[in-house]
Structures are given as structure tokens and as C-alpha cells.
Amino acid sequence: MFDLLLINPFWGFKGKNIWKEISGVLPPLGIASIAAFSRDRGFSVKIIDMQAEGLNLDSLGSRMEDMSEPKFVGITATTLSVKNVYKIADVVKNKFSKTKIILGGHHPTALPEEALKKLTVDIVVLGEGEMTVSDILSGKSFEEIDGIAYKNGSGRIIFNKDRKLIDDINILPIPAYDLLPMKKYHPSLGAYKKLPSISMISSRGCFGSCSFCFRIFGQKVRIKSAENIYKEIKYLQKNFGIKEINFYDDVFTVFRENLISLCRLILSDKNDISWSCFSRIGFADLELLKLMKEAGCHQIMYGIESVNESVLKNIEKGINIGGIRDAIRLTQKSGIDCRGAFMLGNVGENEQTIKKTIEFSVKSGLDFASFNVVSPYPGTKLFECAKNSGILNNFDWDFYDEATPLLELSTISSEKITKLYFSAYKKFYFRIGYIIKRVIKINGLEYFNLLLKGFFALIRFFKK
């Protein structure tokens, strides 16, 4: 018997969805961090990444045939994967009847009662998992453990007090990449230039108040030091031959001095690592952007969402059109590719507001754009408001895929939103001027192959 088996579930997209064609396979960094933290405290840990390895319920059962019984099995769940997670819990419990099953991640944290109503789910970890899972593995009684909900002997759901967030995330070890199938991972098409590439997260929390976002790590932002970020980069290069890093932090450019220090570490080491990141509008000046470019940054993605001021106010984005234009202009001036992310079908939208957003994306000079239909995820302000006002009537989590209209708006039909979703991709990517611009930027066979893959992915998407 060993202590802990962690499972990343399989999931997929239903219907017509661009991400079905271009989506990457990203490492489950949350459970990899829990694995590393638990292992450092002397517990034996294994990971099965069903998504990366292409496993289904049957092949998971086969994988566990020769496995000794774990004391605990932890499964991470998003809204899109949670129905599969419940089935996985059933398979595990059928195989290991004495094993306690722990669920964690965004969806169980938002809706713990739903998870604990499942017969095979014993515990839900709420929010950050490292300290909480370590307490569970140590043999503490459930009553003593902060940050969990669980079923007692009579089946009643008990909520313990919240766990205090980790103040300094620099105490956390490098995620247990060695337990993952590292050769299976790659980012989404259009988000990378070199392979092998891997995603990283160097902070937790977000100070924003966007109505569509569930801040599982709270609004207090905690960052890793530049030295620890670079240490992890060097580890990935040395042990797995990684050539590119994709930073998935919501607030990567906010802590300017830490980012400057990271760039200087890369440059002083003459490290040719390529990387990309996300940024909030208004948190990247030209001096910083030029340094990032020099240190290997090739792309920044900005969450623009809409160019209608009323819609931006409705979703509490905290940005304006002037700031959006400035961010694009400065990023392009620095020589870094600029990617914009847009949301279609928010409260307050109509056909004209969406068309203006699409038109802006085309005329803005953006190098890449992604368009998603609004998904009101559980735990967000948007979900609660939509549910309470009666405009959210679909609670089948399989369709929370950022391509299916879920809000019944009086100002625009779901059918029209879907048509505009397809139209956005056609209008942005199938322009002669845009195609010529991308061809001019080709600087090697690897980048040419990447563009070719993206082109054929779009063709498949439109055919469907």
C-alpha cells in the first residue's frame, strides 16, 4: 500500500469548438505541486494523467490492475471534466474499496455539496491543496483539518473552517514533473514557437474582480521570486530538454521589478529560452516590454474580452478602450507578438456590440486572436447572477466549453452568437493581408510547420 495516487481526468469538447482543433495538452501543475509537497514530507505518491496518456475508464481500470492499493486517491476537477471525474471515482472505489477519495480543483471548491453527494467521494479539498492534503495523509482526524468538506459516519456533510493561504509560495518545491509523462505535453497552436514546450505558473491569486472569473487562490497575489522561477526553468531545460516556457499567470507583468530580475537572470546566463506570457492591460510599459523581448519573450496575450465600454463595466473588467489600444501598440513596438482574447455573449451584448468587437480585432493589428463564448462557471459572480435572474438554464457541465451559449439573453439569440463565433475566426484569420504578414514572419521550418498546422486546424473547424 502506498499513500497517494493523484489523477488528472480525461475530458473533451462537444459540438463545434475551435479548441477541439487547436487545444494543447498541459501538465496538471496543481496536482504536480501537491505531489512534490507530499513527497518532500515522506509520503509515497504516484500520478496518472489520463488526458495526456489518452486513457479512458476501461484503460484506467487496467492501469490499476497491477497497482497496490493507495490509502488515498486525489482527483482534480474542472467544470468541463467533473462528470468524468465522478465516473473515475466510481472506477477507483470499485477497485479499491477501502481507499478514501479526495476531490479538489475549481469545480469541487465551488460546489462541494454536489461532489459529496456522490457515494464514492469522501473528501473535498477547498482551494489550495498542498498543506491540506499533507494533513490528510498524516493521519489527522478530519475534524482537525482546515480547508476541507467531508462526510461523517452518518453521511452528513461537514464543512471545516477555511485554510489560511500560503503566505510565501517560495516554500513550495518544484512541481513533480518527474512523475508526469513530460513528452506528451504541448501548448495550444499559435501559443508557441519551439518544442518541447511546457506551461508554468509563477504566482497565485489575482487582484482583479472580473465577474466571469473564479479566484480559487483569492485576490491576494503571491509570487515566486525571480531566482526560484529561473531555477525551475533551468531544471526543466536540464532534465527534459524544454526549449520554451508558457507562463499562465494572470498577473505575470504586474510585479515589474521581479520580472526585470528574471529577464536579467536569463540574459546574464546567455540562456536562449523562448517564452510567452499573459498580461493585464495597463501593466507593461515599453521599457519593460523591450527587456522581455531581449530575454526571449515572443508573445503576450491580453484579456480584452470586448471593446464596448458598457459590457466591460458589466463584467467588471477594469479596463477601457484607450488602455487596450495602448497595450497593443506598445507590445507591437517592442517586437513581441500580441494576442488578444475576446468573449462573445456577455450580459449587455447585442449583435452590434459583438460585431464591433470582431471588427476591432481585425483592424487592431493583433497577431493572433481567440474568441470564446461566455461560460458562467460555478463559483463566479456571473454564475450566481445569471442563475438568480433566470437567464441560466443549462446545468449540464459538459457544455461549459466556451463555445456553447448558456445565457438566454433578450438582446441576442444563442443561434446568432454561435454564427458570430464562427464569423469571428473567419474574419480574423482568412484575410490576405494577415496571411502575408504571417508568411513574412516565417524564420524557420519549425515556425512554418506551426503556421501550417494552425491553418489546417481552422479549415477543419469551419468544415464542421
Side-chain angles (χ1 to χ4, degrees):
M1 179 175 280
F2 65 102
D3 295 306
L4 178 64
L5 170 64
L6 292 164
I7 299 176
N8 188 43
F10 67 98
W11 51 274
F13 298 103
K14 291 183 179 290
K16 299 177 180 180
N17 191 318
I18 187 64
W19 295 107
K20 189 182 290 187
E21 306 300 335
I22 69 169
S23 184
V25 182
L26 304 179
L29 295 175
I31 63 174
S33 182
I34 290 170
F37 192 84
S38 301
R39 192 168 58 181
D40 275 8
R41 276 145 187 77
F43 300 109
S44 50
V45 187
K46 297 179 181 179
I47 296 177
I48 296 177
D49 188 344
M50 297 181 69
Q51 182 72 6
E53 297 185 48
L55 302 180
N56 57 25
L57 295 174
D58 290 336
S59 49
L60 174 65
S62 300
R63 173 71 70 85
M64 294 189 298
E65 282 297 325
D66 299 324
M67 186 180 290
S68 59
E69 185 173 4
K71 294 178 184 176
F72 296 92
V73 169
I75 315 171
T76 185
T78 63
T79 298
L80 190 58
S81 70
V82 74
K83 288 172 69 175
N84 289 337
V85 167
Y86 296 145
K87 294 174 185 176
I88 292 166
D90 292 343
V91 170
V92 172
K93 205 71 161 185
N94 185 57
K95 173 64 178 173
F96 303 124
S97 59
K98 295 181 181 178
T99 296
K100 296 291 185 184
I101 294 181
I102 309 165
L103 260 55
H106 285 78
H107 192 89
T109 296
L111 299 177
E113 295 97 335
E114 176 191 281
L116 288 166
K117 285 178 181 176
K118 305 297 179 182
L119 293 176
T120 53
V121 177
D122 300 295
I123 314 165
V124 169
V125 170
L126 306 169
E128 258 177 0
E130 288 87 0
M131 298 285 191
T132 306
V133 171
S134 182
D135 280 353
I136 293 170
L137 297 179
S138 71
K140 283 186 177 182
S141 66
F142 293 167
E143 293 88 350
E144 299 178 83
I145 301 173
D146 294 345
I148 66 169
Y150 65 97
K151 287 180 287 201
N152 65 10
S154 62
R156 188 164 69 91
I157 296 175
I158 307 296
F159 285 87
N160 290 355
K161 69 178 182 178
D162 293 341
R163 178 172 291 275
K164 186 177 181 292
L165 293 172
I166 299 169
D167 285 327
D168 182 8
I169 61 172
N170 289 287
I171 68 167
L172 298 174
I174 290 174
Y177 294 106
D178 59 299
L179 298 181
L180 298 173
M182 290 292 283
K183 292 183 179 180
K184 304 281 188 179
Y185 299 117
H186 61 86
S188 301
L189 283 174
Y192 65 91
K193 290 179 69 174
K194 297 180 182 179
L195 291 175
S197 176
I198 203 76
S199 57
M200 271 181 61
I201 296 176
S202 64
S203 64
R204 289 186 177 179
C206 179
F207 56 78
S209 57
C210 304
S211 65
F212 55 84
C213 185
F214 178 37
R215 287 169 289 280
I216 190 171
F217 294 133
Q219 287 190 290
K220 179 183 177 182
V221 180
R222 295 150 292 149
I223 63 171
K224 291 182 182 178
S225 68
E227 291 74 20
N228 279 335
I229 297 170
Y230 192 57
K231 179 182 176 183
E232 190 168 332
I233 291 172
K234 295 283 284 184
Y235 170 84
L236 289 165
Q237 288 179 301
K238 178 181 178 181
N239 291 280
F240 305 105
I242 296 300
K243 296 180 180 178
E244 180 166 319
I245 304 293
N246 306 95
F247 290 103
Y248 274 58
D249 305 68
D250 292 319
V251 292
F252 189 74
T253 61
V254 169
F255 294 88
R256 190 176 188 276
E257 293 307 315
N258 198 57
L259 180 50
I260 288 172
S261 296
L262 174 62
C263 291
R264 287 175 176 164
L265 284 170
I266 293 171
L267 290 169
S268 65
D269 205 20
K270 294 182 171 58
N271 194 328
D272 65 350
I273 190 73
S274 176
W275 54 280
S276 64
C277 67
F278 295 171
S279 177
R280 289 183 65 87
I281 297 293
F283 285 93
D285 58 78
L286 186 57
E287 182 184 11
L288 177 61
L289 290 166
K290 286 182 176 179
L291 180 63
M292 291 166 63
K293 170 68 175 178
E294 187 182 359
C297 179
H298 70 86
Q299 184 185 113
I300 298 177
M301 190 184 85
Y302 295 98
I304 298 171
E305 323 312 352
S306 173
V307 294
N308 181 274
E309 297 282 7
S310 295
V311 172
L312 290 173
K313 186 176 180 180
N314 286 344
I315 63 177
E316 301 178 51
K317 185 67 183 177
I319 62 175
N320 56 49
I321 309 306
I324 293 169
R325 294 186 189 279
D326 285 344
I328 295 171
R329 176 179 58 81
L330 293 175
T331 303
Q332 291 176 329
K333 191 172 182 180
S334 73
I336 298 173
D337 279 351
C338 192
R339 185 187 190 102
F342 300 91
M343 298 173 68
L344 311 179
N346 265 301
V347 175
E349 292 266 43
N350 56 46
E351 184 174 350
Q352 290 307 310
T353 62
I354 295 176
K355 283 183 174 179
K356 284 183 179 179
T357 292
I358 296 170
E359 182 183 357
F360 173 87
S361 73
V362 169
K363 294 181 177 180
S364 64
L366 286 168
D367 295 283
F368 299 95
S370 61
F371 304 90
N372 296 309
V373 177
V374 175
S375 278
Y377 291 110
T380 66
K381 185 183 293 187
L382 176 60
F383 178 84
E384 291 303 320
C385 291
K387 184 176 69 171
N388 293 337
S389 63
I391 63 172
L392 175 61
N393 295 313
N394 188 336
F395 297 94
D396 184 340
W397 308 131
D398 283 347
F399 293 96
Y400 282 60
D401 59 1
E402 300 184 352
T404 304
L406 299 168
L407 301 178
E408 296 183 5
L409 303 178
S410 61
T411 51
I412 185 171
S413 69
S414 295
E415 292 76 17
K416 192 63 182 180
I417 292 172
T418 298
K419 287 181 180 179
L420 289 168
Y421 170 65
F422 276 85
S423 172
Y425 281 100
K426 284 183 179 178
K427 290 187 174 181
F428 187 87
Y429 287 102
F430 284 77
R431 293 174 282 143
I432 295 299
Y434 177 80
I435 294 170
I436 292 172
K437 179 181 176 182
R438 297 264 56 90
V439 169
I440 290 172
K441 284 200 169 188
I442 292 174
N443 59 0
L445 183 60
E446 191 169 18
Y447 191 59
F448 173 76
N449 287 334
L450 169 63
L451 292 179
L452 206 59
K453 285 180 182 178
F455 175 77
F456 284 115
L458 286 166
I459 294 295
R460 291 192 300 271
F461 172 60
F462 294 133
K463 280 186 176 181
K464 292 178 181 178

